[in-house]
Amino acid sequence: MFMTTQPQQHRARRIARVVRAIPVRAGMNIRLKRVIGGEGLHDLDPFLAFDELTASTADGIDGGFPGQTHRGFESITYITKGCLHYSDNAGREGTVGAGGVQWLTSGRGLVHSETPELAEGEVRTFQFWLNLPAAEKMQMPVYRAIEAADIPAVIFPKAEVRVIAGRYHGLLGPVSPESTCPFVAEVILKPEGEVTLPMDQSHDGFIYVYEGGAAVAQTLISCGQAGILDSGNVLTLTAGQAGARLLVLSARPLREPIVRHGPFVMTSQQDIKQAFTDYQNGLF
Protein backbone atom coordinates (compact mmCIF):
# COMPACT_ATOMS: atom_id res chain seq x y z
CA MET A 1 0.00 0.00 0.00
CA PHE A 2 1.32 3.45 -0.94
CA MET A 3 1.14 6.36 1.49
CA THR A 4 0.39 9.79 0.09
CA THR A 5 1.48 12.99 1.76
CA GLN A 6 -1.16 15.67 1.88
CA PRO A 7 0.14 19.14 1.01
CA GLN A 8 0.31 21.48 3.96
CA GLN A 9 -2.70 23.75 4.10
CA HIS A 10 -1.86 27.44 4.22
CA ARG A 11 -3.50 29.39 7.00
CA ALA A 12 -2.89 33.12 6.76
CA ARG A 13 -2.01 34.92 9.94
CA ARG A 14 -4.16 37.90 10.85
CA ILE A 15 -3.88 40.67 13.42
CA ALA A 16 -5.35 39.68 16.79
CA ARG A 17 -4.58 43.01 18.48
CA VAL A 18 -3.03 46.37 17.68
CA VAL A 19 -0.66 47.89 20.28
CA ARG A 20 0.67 51.44 20.07
CA ALA A 21 4.22 52.14 21.22
CA ILE A 22 4.30 54.17 24.44
CA PRO A 23 6.93 56.90 24.95
CA VAL A 24 9.20 56.20 27.95
CA ARG A 25 12.59 57.36 29.22
CA ALA A 26 15.41 55.04 30.22
CA GLY A 27 19.15 55.10 30.84
CA MET A 28 20.56 58.64 30.90
CA ASN A 29 17.16 60.19 30.08
CA ILE A 30 17.01 58.52 26.66
CA ARG A 31 13.63 58.66 24.92
CA LEU A 32 12.26 55.32 23.73
CA LYS A 33 9.09 53.96 22.17
CA ARG A 34 8.07 50.85 24.14
CA VAL A 35 5.80 48.16 22.70
CA ILE A 36 6.45 45.20 25.03
CA GLY A 37 7.52 45.40 28.66
CA GLY A 38 5.26 48.26 29.72
CA GLU A 39 1.63 49.17 30.32
CA GLY A 40 0.41 48.37 26.82
CA LEU A 41 1.74 44.79 26.69
CA HIS A 42 3.65 43.27 29.60
CA ASP A 43 5.11 40.34 27.62
CA LEU A 44 4.44 38.06 24.65
CA ASP A 45 6.08 34.75 25.52
CA PRO A 46 9.04 34.48 24.97
CA PHE A 47 9.38 38.23 24.18
CA LEU A 48 9.93 40.22 27.39
CA ALA A 49 10.58 43.66 25.88
CA PHE A 50 10.64 45.56 22.61
CA ASP A 51 11.88 49.17 22.32
CA GLU A 52 12.61 51.55 19.48
CA LEU A 53 15.24 54.24 20.05
CA THR A 54 15.42 57.17 17.66
CA ALA A 55 17.51 60.28 18.27
CA SER A 56 19.11 63.10 16.37
CA THR A 57 21.64 65.80 17.13
CA ALA A 58 18.87 67.93 18.64
CA ASP A 59 17.85 65.20 21.14
CA GLY A 60 21.22 64.59 22.75
CA ILE A 61 22.14 61.04 23.82
CA ASP A 62 25.17 61.61 26.02
CA GLY A 63 25.74 58.76 28.47
CA GLY A 64 23.47 56.17 26.87
CA PHE A 65 22.72 53.21 29.13
CA PRO A 66 25.53 52.77 31.68
CA GLY A 67 25.82 50.10 34.38
CA GLN A 68 22.97 47.77 33.34
CA THR A 69 22.70 44.50 35.29
CA HIS A 70 21.07 41.55 33.49
CA ARG A 71 20.33 37.95 34.37
CA GLY A 72 18.18 35.25 32.80
CA PHE A 73 17.48 36.39 29.22
CA GLU A 74 18.94 37.44 25.87
CA SER A 75 18.88 40.97 24.44
CA ILE A 76 19.14 41.51 20.69
CA THR A 77 19.61 44.98 19.20
CA TYR A 78 19.23 45.78 15.51
CA ILE A 79 20.74 49.07 14.34
CA THR A 80 19.37 50.82 11.24
CA LYS A 81 21.02 54.24 11.68
CA GLY A 82 24.11 55.32 13.62
CA CYS A 83 25.97 52.76 15.72
CA LEU A 84 25.98 51.18 19.18
CA HIS A 85 29.02 50.77 21.43
CA TYR A 86 29.07 47.96 24.01
CA SER A 87 31.29 47.22 27.02
CA ASP A 88 30.92 45.02 30.11
CA ASN A 89 32.60 44.14 33.38
CA ALA A 90 34.36 41.12 31.82
CA GLY A 91 36.32 43.40 29.49
CA ARG A 92 34.30 42.65 26.34
CA GLU A 93 33.81 45.55 23.93
CA GLY A 94 32.36 46.07 20.50
CA THR A 95 30.81 48.63 18.17
CA VAL A 96 28.09 47.72 15.69
CA GLY A 97 27.12 50.01 12.83
CA ALA A 98 23.98 50.46 10.75
CA GLY A 99 22.55 47.21 9.47
CA GLY A 100 24.29 45.16 12.17
CA VAL A 101 23.14 43.35 15.30
CA GLN A 102 24.31 43.12 18.90
CA TRP A 103 23.36 39.79 20.49
CA LEU A 104 23.88 39.42 24.23
CA THR A 105 23.09 36.32 26.27
CA SER A 106 23.17 37.61 29.84
CA GLY A 107 22.81 34.14 31.38
CA ARG A 108 23.97 34.03 35.01
CA GLY A 109 24.57 37.79 35.01
CA LEU A 110 26.80 40.65 33.99
CA VAL A 111 27.05 44.44 34.19
CA HIS A 112 27.27 46.20 30.84
CA SER A 113 26.89 49.57 29.15
CA GLU A 114 25.40 50.48 25.78
CA THR A 115 26.11 53.84 24.18
CA PRO A 116 24.26 54.79 20.99
CA GLU A 117 26.25 57.07 18.69
CA LEU A 118 24.99 59.36 15.95
CA ALA A 119 26.02 58.97 12.32
CA GLU A 120 25.13 61.87 10.04
CA GLY A 121 23.14 63.29 12.94
CA GLU A 122 20.87 60.29 13.57
CA VAL A 123 20.61 56.96 15.35
CA ARG A 124 17.87 54.33 15.32
CA THR A 125 17.95 50.98 17.11
CA PHE A 126 15.43 48.28 17.96
CA GLN A 127 16.03 46.10 21.01
CA PHE A 128 14.06 43.09 22.13
CA TRP A 129 14.52 40.69 25.02
CA LEU A 130 14.03 36.93 24.66
CA ASN A 131 13.44 34.85 27.75
CA LEU A 132 15.74 31.92 28.50
CA PRO A 133 14.32 28.63 29.79
CA ALA A 134 14.93 27.86 33.45
CA ALA A 135 17.55 25.23 32.59
CA GLU A 136 19.63 27.79 30.66
CA LYS A 137 19.36 30.91 32.80
CA MET A 138 22.62 30.29 34.65
CA GLN A 139 24.84 29.76 31.61
CA MET A 140 27.92 31.90 31.09
CA PRO A 141 27.28 35.30 29.44
CA VAL A 142 28.12 35.65 25.75
CA TYR A 143 28.40 38.82 23.62
CA ARG A 144 28.34 38.75 19.81
CA ALA A 145 28.73 41.64 17.36
CA ILE A 146 27.27 40.90 13.92
CA GLU A 147 28.08 43.17 11.00
CA ALA A 148 25.61 44.25 8.31
CA ALA A 149 27.49 42.23 5.70
CA ASP A 150 26.69 39.05 7.63
CA ILE A 151 22.90 39.54 7.43
CA PRO A 152 21.51 37.99 4.23
CA ALA A 153 18.81 39.67 2.17
CA VAL A 154 16.26 38.55 -0.41
CA ILE A 155 15.41 41.30 -2.90
CA PHE A 156 12.24 41.35 -4.99
CA PRO A 157 11.05 44.05 -7.44
CA LYS A 158 8.94 45.74 -4.73
CA ALA A 159 10.22 44.24 -1.49
CA GLU A 160 13.37 43.42 0.44
CA VAL A 161 13.62 40.98 3.35
CA ARG A 162 16.72 41.09 5.59
CA VAL A 163 16.96 37.84 7.55
CA ILE A 164 18.25 38.52 11.07
CA ALA A 165 17.15 35.23 12.67
CA GLY A 166 15.55 32.11 11.24
CA ARG A 167 15.36 30.97 7.63
CA TYR A 168 13.84 32.51 4.50
CA HIS A 169 14.29 31.49 0.85
CA GLY A 170 17.11 29.16 1.90
CA LEU A 171 19.00 31.93 3.72
CA LEU A 172 19.79 31.59 7.43
CA GLY A 173 20.01 34.60 9.71
CA PRO A 174 23.10 34.86 11.98
CA VAL A 175 21.14 35.24 15.26
CA SER A 176 20.22 31.71 16.36
CA PRO A 177 19.03 31.21 19.96
CA GLU A 178 18.31 27.48 20.11
CA SER A 179 15.81 27.53 22.97
CA THR A 180 13.28 29.85 21.28
CA CYS A 181 14.22 29.45 17.57
CA PRO A 182 13.14 33.00 16.63
CA PHE A 183 12.36 34.34 13.19
CA VAL A 184 13.30 38.02 12.88
CA ALA A 185 13.35 40.00 9.64
CA GLU A 186 13.35 43.59 8.50
CA VAL A 187 10.91 44.04 5.62
CA ILE A 188 11.16 47.02 3.27
CA LEU A 189 8.19 47.49 0.95
CA LYS A 190 8.02 49.94 -1.93
CA PRO A 191 4.69 51.70 -2.59
CA GLU A 192 2.00 49.02 -3.04
CA GLY A 193 4.64 46.33 -2.54
CA GLU A 194 3.70 42.94 -1.14
CA VAL A 195 5.56 39.98 0.32
CA THR A 196 4.55 36.65 1.87
CA LEU A 197 6.61 35.05 4.63
CA PRO A 198 6.31 31.47 5.91
CA MET A 199 5.66 31.32 9.65
CA ASP A 200 6.11 28.54 12.17
CA GLN A 201 2.64 27.51 13.32
CA SER A 202 3.88 27.00 16.90
CA HIS A 203 5.38 30.50 17.24
CA ASP A 204 3.86 33.59 18.84
CA GLY A 205 4.78 36.84 17.11
CA PHE A 206 4.12 40.38 16.01
CA ILE A 207 5.05 43.01 13.46
CA TYR A 208 6.23 46.53 14.22
CA VAL A 209 5.94 49.30 11.61
CA TYR A 210 8.44 52.14 11.92
CA GLU A 211 7.90 53.91 8.60
CA GLY A 212 4.80 54.16 6.42
CA GLY A 213 2.05 51.59 6.91
CA ALA A 214 1.44 47.92 6.14
CA ALA A 215 -1.74 45.85 5.95
CA VAL A 216 -2.23 42.29 7.13
CA ALA A 217 -5.47 41.10 5.53
CA GLN A 218 -7.87 43.98 6.21
CA THR A 219 -5.99 45.44 9.21
CA LEU A 220 -3.68 48.41 8.65
CA ILE A 221 -0.73 48.82 11.00
CA SER A 222 0.51 52.41 11.01
CA CYS A 223 3.89 53.83 11.95
CA GLY A 224 4.60 53.36 15.67
CA GLN A 225 2.16 50.46 16.02
CA ALA A 226 2.61 46.74 16.55
CA GLY A 227 0.25 44.10 15.26
CA ILE A 228 0.05 41.00 17.46
CA LEU A 229 -0.40 37.99 15.17
CA ASP A 230 -2.87 35.16 15.56
CA SER A 231 -1.97 31.59 14.59
CA GLY A 232 -1.15 30.49 11.07
CA ASN A 233 1.73 29.44 8.84
CA VAL A 234 1.96 32.30 6.32
CA LEU A 235 2.02 36.08 6.71
CA THR A 236 1.24 38.43 3.81
CA LEU A 237 2.22 42.10 4.15
CA THR A 238 1.00 44.80 1.78
CA ALA A 239 2.13 48.43 1.73
CA GLY A 240 0.11 51.47 0.73
CA GLN A 241 1.13 54.43 -1.41
CA ALA A 242 3.85 55.48 1.07
CA GLY A 243 5.54 52.09 1.23
CA ALA A 244 6.60 50.63 4.58
CA ARG A 245 9.53 49.60 6.74
CA LEU A 246 8.82 47.12 9.51
CA LEU A 247 10.13 44.27 11.61
CA VAL A 248 8.57 40.82 11.76
CA LEU A 249 9.31 38.80 14.91
CA SER A 250 8.14 35.39 16.08
CA ALA A 251 9.52 32.76 18.44
CA ARG A 252 8.65 29.54 20.23
CA PRO A 253 6.96 30.27 23.58
CA LEU A 254 8.53 28.68 26.65
CA ARG A 255 5.33 28.33 28.72
CA GLU A 256 7.30 28.76 31.95
CA PRO A 257 6.66 31.06 34.91
CA ILE A 258 8.06 34.57 34.47
CA VAL A 259 9.14 36.33 37.66
CA ARG A 260 10.73 39.65 36.86
CA HIS A 261 12.32 42.41 38.87
CA GLY A 262 13.77 45.06 36.59
CA PRO A 263 16.57 43.45 34.56
CA PHE A 264 16.42 40.11 36.42
CA VAL A 265 14.10 37.54 34.81
CA MET A 266 13.78 34.19 36.59
CA THR A 267 11.08 31.62 37.35
CA SER A 268 10.60 32.16 41.12
CA GLN A 269 10.86 34.87 43.76
CA GLN A 270 13.61 32.86 45.43
CA ASP A 271 15.67 33.04 42.23
CA ILE A 272 15.14 36.82 42.11
CA LYS A 273 16.35 37.17 45.70
CA GLN A 274 19.39 35.05 44.83
CA ALA A 275 20.11 37.31 41.86
CA PHE A 276 20.21 40.37 44.13
CA THR A 277 22.44 38.52 46.61
CA ASP A 278 24.83 37.44 43.87
CA TYR A 279 25.01 40.95 42.45
CA GLN A 280 25.68 42.50 45.85
CA ASN A 281 28.44 39.92 46.45
CA GLY A 282 30.13 40.83 43.18
CA LEU A 283 29.35 37.54 41.44
CA PHE A 284 28.05 39.09 38.22
Side-chain angles (χ1 to χ4, degrees):
M1 183 171 66
F2 293 95
M3 301 293 292
T4 59
T5 301
Q6 296 294 327
Q8 184 181 21
Q9 299 242 335
H10 290 309
R11 184 182 188 280
R13 291 212 177 199
R14 297 177 181 271
I15 300 298
R17 179 185 174 191
V18 178
V19 178
R20 173 161 288 282
I22 298 173
V24 299
R25 290 184 181 268
M28 300 292 285
N29 205 30
I30 304 293
R31 290 187 291 181
L32 303 173
K33 296 176 183 177
R34 178 156 295 166
V35 175
I36 300 176
E39 296 177 5
L41 183 60
H42 187 262
D43 61 69
L44 181 68
D45 188 12
F47 296 96
L48 302 166
F50 181 90
D51 290 336
E52 176 188 3
L53 181 156
T54 55
S56 64
T57 305
D59 298 315
I61 53 171
D62 291 341
F65 303 89
Q68 301 180 98
T69 56
H70 288 176
R71 171 177 277 187
F73 62 93
E74 301 186 272
S75 68
I76 297 161
T77 309
Y78 178 52
I79 300 98
T80 61
K81 294 181 181 179
C83 60
L84 185 68
H85 179 72
Y86 171 93
S87 62
D88 64 34
N89 61 338
R92 291 171 287 234
E93 286 195 64
T95 299
V96 179
V101 174
Q102 173 186 287
W103 174 15
L104 173 64
T105 304
S106 63
R108 62 188 301 169
L110 80 169
V111 182
H112 75 284
S113 297
E114 295 169 325
T115 306
E117 299 175 3
L118 303 174
E120 298 180 353
E122 292 184 285
V123 64
R124 172 183 272 150
T125 71
F126 302 90
Q127 184 175 98
F128 59 96
W129 293 3
L130 281 172
N131 198 11
L132 285 168
E136 298 178 19
K137 286 186 179 292
M138 296 302 287
Q139 64 181 282
M140 291 297 293
V142 181
Y143 166 77
R144 309 163 187 88
I146 300 167
E147 300 298 330
D150 296 321
I151 297 180
V154 181
I155 301 175
F156 302 102
K158 285 199 167 188
E160 179 178 344
V161 180
R162 302 193 75 231
V163 188
I164 299 166
R167 188 180 295 274
Y168 180 65
H169 269 245
L171 300 177
L172 185 64
V175 179
S176 54
E178 294 183 2
S179 55
T180 51
C181 299
F183 174 80
V184 182
E186 181 186 23
V187 177
I188 302 167
L189 296 173
K190 293 182 180 179
E192 299 183 341
E194 183 175 285
V195 71
T196 297
L197 307 173
M199 303 289 287
D200 191 313
Q201 180 79 34
S202 67
H203 283 193
D204 289 343
F206 64 102
I207 70 170
Y208 179 72
V209 176
Y210 67 91
E211 287 184 14
V216 176
Q218 302 302 312
T219 305
L220 175 66
I221 307 299
S222 302
C223 181
Q225 291 182 332
I228 311 304
L229 300 170
D230 69 2
S231 62
N233 57 16
V234 293
L235 172 67
T236 299
L237 301 160
T238 307
Q241 291 289 338
R245 288 176 176 256
L246 64 144
L247 296 178
V248 178
L249 305 94
S250 72
R252 183 172 63 202
L254 296 176
R255 311 296 189 210
E256 293 184 352
I258 298 174
V259 181
R260 179 172 176 173
H261 194 291
F264 301 154
V265 184
M266 305 302 287
T267 57
S268 71
Q269 287 292 347
Q270 182 58 43
D271 289 340
I272 293 292
K273 292 178 182 177
Q274 187 62 51
F276 276 101
T277 299
D278 291 348
Y279 172 66
Q280 290 163 358
N281 289 337
L283 299 180
F284 274 37

